[in-house]
Amino acid sequence: MKQYDVVIIGGGVIGASIARELSRYKLSMALFEKEEELAFGVSKSNSGIIHSGTQNPPGSLKAKLCVQGNALTRKIARELGVDLKKVGSLIVAFTEEERLELLKIKKDAEILGVPGLKIVGRDWIRKHEPNLSAQACAALYASTTGIISPYRLVYDLCENAARNGVEFHLSSKVEKISALPVSDGKSGPRFEISTPKGSFRTRYLVNAAGLYADEISKMAGAGGFEIIPRKGEEFLLDKKREHLVNHVLYPLPTEKSKGILIIKTSDGNPMIGPTAHDVTDKEDLSTSDAGLKEVLESARKMIPTISESDIIAYFSGLRPTAGHDFIIRHENAVPGLLNVAGIQSPGLTSAPAIALMARDILKDNGLILRKKRFFHRHQREENHLFAIPLDKAKKLVKKDASYGDIVCRCEMVSAKEITDAISRGAMTLDGIKFRTRAQAGRCHGGFCTTRVMKILAEKTRRGLAEITKRGRGSEIVKGERGND
Amino acid sequence: MTERELIIIGGGPAGMAAAIAARENGVKDILLIERDQCLGGILNQCIHTGFGLEYFKEVLTGPEYASRFMSKVKSMPGIEISLRSFAVRLTKEKKLTYLKPGKMEKVKAKAIIMATGCREKTREMVHIAGMRPSGVFSAGLAQKLINIEGLLPGKEIVIVGSGDIGLIMARRLVLEGAKVSGVVEIEAQSRGLARNIVQCIEDFDIPIYFNHKISRIYGKNRVERVDIVRVDGNFNEIPGSSFEIKCDTILMSVGLIPENELIEMAGVVIDKKTNAPVSGELNKTSIPGIFVCGNSFKVYDIVDSVTRDSLIAGKLAAEYLRSRR
Ligand SMILES: Cc1cc2nc3c(=O)[nH]c(=O)nc-3n(C[C@H](O)[C@H](O)[C@H](O)COP(=O)(O)OP(=O)(O)OC[C@H]3O[C@@H](n4cnc5c(N)ncnc54)[C@H](O)[C@@H]3O)c2cc1C
Ligand SMILES: Cc1cc2nc3c(=O)[nH]c(=O)nc-3n(C[C@H](O)[C@H](O)[C@H](O)COP(=O)(O)OP(=O)(O)OC[C@H]3O[C@@H](n4cnc5c(N)ncnc54)[C@H](O)[C@@H]3O)c2cc1C
């Protein structure tokens, strides 16, 4: 039976960050993910903001890790060639009372070490954010807020970790965890995990299972917390509205969330949302008319010109909450088990800081860390036609003819980018969409779905009827014509 | 940069008619650009009959109708056809950039005719609450899957909207052995042609629900069922009127949007609501020398009228070029 030093459960941004961090050391490691592709959990449906670190309760774990994570993410994005845009953010005040609140938020944030903060007034706002409501009287500007494509970050982290020796097991749901008798206490495996693809043993187990972290903790014999999903509905606007705002805009935060934001996204489409309501079903990714109404009303309070007809897509995500803060701890009752759970917002931002903390906790609990002589820090960059100037595109087309073969008309994605995505692990239409943006534009795949299906079927040697949207059960068609 | 008299973008019925008329009216240097592997546009997937009644006084299928124009365009000297060529940028100086496998070309034209057709509205543009499983298609995509790719999109279908494409697809799916459980239309009557209501819906006993809408989609991976609810004159849901239909597929036939992003980029004034060029006169735009015809000028019901009006576009472009000589 295959045996590892460390097994990570969960291929979201947390598992991916920990995998990459630990791949610097001489360890045998594997990551298990139940879905057919990485980043198909919470990490695919969020706001994509690398928060500066304002608006978190002082003294909390997430407050500290968010500030650290912001700086670390910038470094990692540079190393991996992930597009991170430092756009800055504004928390907007509409009344004198709210303006005073800003001063308090600024003071709290400065204690946490958030750099680049300043209060700006009406004139500044008019000049730098002309579409913002005339009612806005002041704002707290934070220069370090950034935007990133969350799934592309996960893909790049994982590819880099794989390059540095981490094994990835997809479609591998961990169904059972057994504690092994500690015959060889010093170095032997302590857990055996069962998946549909076989059983594996490991000495350390990192639980980064997002919404299911409570179940994994229970399976491993610890339990100790319950994950409550908190739903956030988000609505994407047409790329034509790209310059609607120049910063990420927040209202004043509430008890449960940062409120309804106006978000710039790394792909250009502005986004409005998210709502924040606790639900019971961990698979309930539905959106609602009430959610749409709530988001539109709040968004219009900031940017009055937003209209329902600007919306070209919508989705919802579930924040895995376990109380008010993250849970990152070694379970002393179950030696070798590290729970990284309840990673609600700002989990995307905090991920690299969480990874360092996880590393240190493992080390404190006996994991021997010896640096590899050579660590592949950098990642080869990918080309996206939509992101480069036309004369650069011209050179690419000359070099490889299939860059000139446009598959997706709305987002200008070529056949070459689709085949690249497949060779880097995309197995589903959503996987291709997240990597390349094909099908993500204003016609939603009306034009390119059949072509993308054909390329995917050919490259992965499957029939067209086997192609899925996001894994088994989500097949696109119900078979071929005439043969049932 | 090479220079051409007239560039036509889009090789559907509109682009082909415009090319023919421009040539017949004396334009000798025409470049016709089409992103697909062949001319014909959307007609290639419309294998049903009903085309050509007005123009040819004959009953033709879509591909038959298109092929008559294809042979004519191909036989005319002075019309160069560039297939698999995707126009990606247009400026107000009429400089056009297009990509084809292995090549990126930049050409300047004295006049431009846009005939890029339209796209379908999708589920995303009319918010429908609920899950986002696979099995939600625009009707035109479903038509392409069946007629061009030979695939069956689903077995138990609900159609949203009663536009012509949806109606035609209802019949098509029944003929393929699928069950069409209903057509749901929010208005009090259909926007489709009367003949399609009779021949595609009534003849097949398909229930059609006027003044109704889908209020929720269920299913994690694949569509499992939908809630349908009655609406009042202001499209508000009537409480207590909700019922459920089991289905694995939803087809959206809720309208078409002219495809005009290229000329919008060039600075042509576009109507925000309809996405058509703001224009006082057939086929003209706010920039002299940039013309638009066919479904990208306005959404037409039948192709015969597209041909009729697009012939005029070719003539207008020829007149424009003559006036500037
Ligand atoms: C609406 C919304 C907006 C947000 N916006 C932001 C933001 O702007 N900035 C920010 O910093 N944070 C944001 N967040 C928070 C952020 O998205 C999360 O904190 C982060 O994605 C959590 O990552 P994760 O790896 O813990 O979870 P996940 O991405 O869910 O990863 C866990 C993985 O474990 C897998 N798994 C579960 N059970 C098993 C099993 N038994 N076996 C194998 N695999 C299993 C799952 O399939 C999943 O892929 C937002 C969250 C939401 C919901
Ligand atoms: C699904 C459907 C069913 C229909 N059924 C009927 C019917 O039964 N009877 C009837 O009379 N009419 C029917 N019609 C209407 C009729 O077919 C259309 O009105 C007509 O085809 C429109 O012609 P067009 O040339 O404007 O657009 P299209 O046929 O859509 O042609 C546009 C062309 O432009 C090309 N193009 C677009 N953008 C670019 C670019 N950037 N670069 C290069 N090329 C580009 C496209 O590939 C396409 O070939 C139907 C229409 C649809 C959509």
Side-chain angles (χ1 to χ4, degrees), chain A residues 60-114:
Chain A
S60 62
L61 206 46
K62 57 185 187 184
K64 186 180 94 185
L65 295 173
C66 182
V67 180
Q68 290 172 4
N70 178 291
L72 288 168
T73 302
R74 248 174 292 150
K75 181 159 167 275
I76 288 172
R78 257 199 318 275
E79 287 177 359
L80 299 180
V82 190
D83 183 27
L84 167 65
K85 291 190 185 78
K86 196 174 147 191
V87 292
S89 60
L90 297 174
I91 305 175
V92 183
F94 290 89
T95 60
E96 177 58 19
E97 202 185 335
E98 289 189 349
R99 197 184 69 82
L100 294 174
E101 190 67 23
L102 290 182
L103 298 174
K104 190 177 160 299
I105 295 173
K106 178 164 181 277
K107 211 169 127 222
D108 284 347
E110 276 165 351
I111 295 169
L112 282 168
V114 180

Side-chain angles (χ1 to χ4, degrees), chain A residues 36 428 468 470-475, chain B residues 221:
Chain A
E36 235 166 80
T428 65
T468 67
R470 58 170 95 98
R472 216 198 260 153
S474 67
E475 282 71 18
Chain B
N221 291 315

Side-chain angles (χ1 to χ4, degrees), chain A residues 361-406:
Chain A
I361 296 177
L362 289 170
K363 188 170 167 225
D364 291 345
N365 286 280
L367 180 66
I368 295 164
L369 297 175
R370 277 175 298 141
K371 280 222 160 140
K372 282 177 188 157
R373 278 260 299 283
F374 193 74
F375 171 67
H376 298 277
R377 188 176 306 278
H378 296 278
Q379 187 73 18
R380 136 185 83 100
E381 229 172 295
E382 344 166 54
N383 289 306
H384 291 293
L385 289 184
F386 69 79
I388 57 176
L390 276 182
D391 42 322
K392 196 170 166 208
K394 185 168 187 171
K395 286 197 192 114
L396 286 179
V397 176
K398 253 210 178 124
K399 228 170 53 193
D400 189 325
S402 59
Y403 273 118
D405 182 2
I406 298 295

Side-chain angles (χ1 to χ4, degrees), chain B residues 236-255:
Chain B
N236 293 317
E237 294 180 18
I238 298 174
S241 66
S242 173
F243 62 99
E244 180 186 298
I245 298 185
K246 206 171 140 285
C247 58
D248 58 31
T249 300
I250 300 167
L251 294 198
M252 302 292 297
S253 178
V254 288

Side-chain angles (χ1 to χ4, degrees), chain A residues 240 283 286-287 289 312 314 390 397 401 405 409 442 447 454 470 475-476 478-479 481 484, chain B residues 86 102-104 123-124 127 130 132 134 137 144 149-150 152 155 176 216 220 222 259 261 264:
Chain A
K240 286 179 193 168
E283 302 288 324
S286 62
T287 55
D289 291 335
I312 64 149
Y314 41 89
L390 276 182
V397 176
D405 182 2
R409 65 172 172 203
R442 45 180 83 89
F447 178 68
K454 279 198 244 180
R470 58 170 95 98
E475 282 71 18
I476 305 298
K478 286 274 174 190
R481 245 179 77 197
D484 200 355
Chain B
F86 210 114
K103 252 200 208 133
M104 184 164 113
R123 179 217 168 157
E124 282 77 8
H127 180 254
R132 295 176 311 117
S134 90
F137 301 91
K144 190 162 150 194
E149 310 300 342
L152 193 61
K155 294 185 174 161
E176 285 299 331
R216 202 169 182 86
K220 175 174 170 338
R222 177 81 194 191
E259 188 105 318
E261 279 66 31
E264 189 176 22

Side-chain angles (χ1 to χ4, degrees), chain A residues 7-197:
Chain A
V7 155
I8 298 167
I9 303 176
V13 69
I14 301 303
S17 299
I18 296 173
R20 190 210 182 219
E21 185 52 44
L22 291 181
S23 73
R24 297 170 193 272
Y25 303 94
K26 291 180 183 162
L27 295 169
S28 74
M29 260 198 302
L31 183 148
F32 290 81
E33 168 55 53
K34 70 175 163 69
E35 300 295 326
E36 235 166 80
E37 292 197 43
L38 297 160
F40 269 25
V42 185
S43 300
K44 78 165 188 295
S45 30
N46 55 53
S47 309
I49 304 169
I50 300 303
H51 294 288
S52 67
T54 55
Q55 302 131 291
N56 289 315
S60 62
L61 206 46
K62 57 185 187 184
K64 186 180 94 185
L65 295 173
C66 182
V67 180
Q68 290 172 4
N70 178 291
L72 288 168
T73 302
R74 248 174 292 150
K75 181 159 167 275
I76 288 172
R78 257 199 318 275
E79 287 177 359
L80 299 180
V82 190
D83 183 27
L84 167 65
K85 291 190 185 78
K86 196 174 147 191
V87 292
S89 60
L90 297 174
I91 305 175
V92 183
F94 290 89
T95 60
E96 177 58 19
E97 202 185 335
E98 289 189 349
R99 197 184 69 82
L100 294 174
E101 190 67 23
L102 290 182
L103 298 174
K104 190 177 160 299
I105 295 173
K106 178 164 181 277
K107 211 169 127 222
D108 284 347
E110 276 165 351
I111 295 169
L112 282 168
V114 180
L117 298 175
K118 71 177 179 204
I119 301 276
V120 296
R122 273 184 203 276
D123 292 347
W124 191 99
I125 293 175
R126 285 303 88 73
K127 184 156 166 238
H128 294 93
E129 209 56 273
N131 293 327
L132 189 55
S133 153
Q135 253 73 57
C137 62
L140 174 60
Y141 169 76
S143 67
T144 54
T145 304
I147 50 176
I148 201 164
S149 157
Y151 22 83
R152 267 180 236 135
L153 173 64
V154 175
Y155 298 140
D156 284 337
L157 284 166
C158 290
E159 265 181 53
N160 190 246
R163 215 171 150 218
N164 287 302
V166 179
E167 289 175 23
F168 285 82
H169 299 265
L170 297 171
S171 303
S172 298
K173 181 175 180 182
V174 175
E175 287 166 335
K176 198 173 146 219
I177 303 171
S178 333
L180 297 171
V182 269
S183 49
D184 164 19
K186 278 241 139 47
S187 61
R190 292 189 278 217
F191 304 96
E192 183 171 313
I193 63 167
S194 315
T195 78
K197 293 191 172 169

Side-chain angles (χ1 to χ4, degrees), chain A residues 428-471:
Chain A
T428 65
L429 290 195
D430 274 1
I432 288 179
K433 177 167 82 180
F434 294 154
R435 285 177 176 84
T436 65
R437 286 194 62 73
Q439 324 153 67
R442 45 180 83 89
C443 92
H444 289 100
F447 178 68
C448 68
T449 297
T450 55
R451 182 80 198 284
V452 176
M453 284 172 73
K454 279 198 244 180
I455 299 176
L456 186 57
E458 194 194 312
K459 291 276 163 200
T460 56
R461 303 210 174 128
R462 289 178 293 174
L464 284 171
E466 293 168 68
I467 299 300
T468 67
K469 178 170 163 61
R470 58 170 95 98

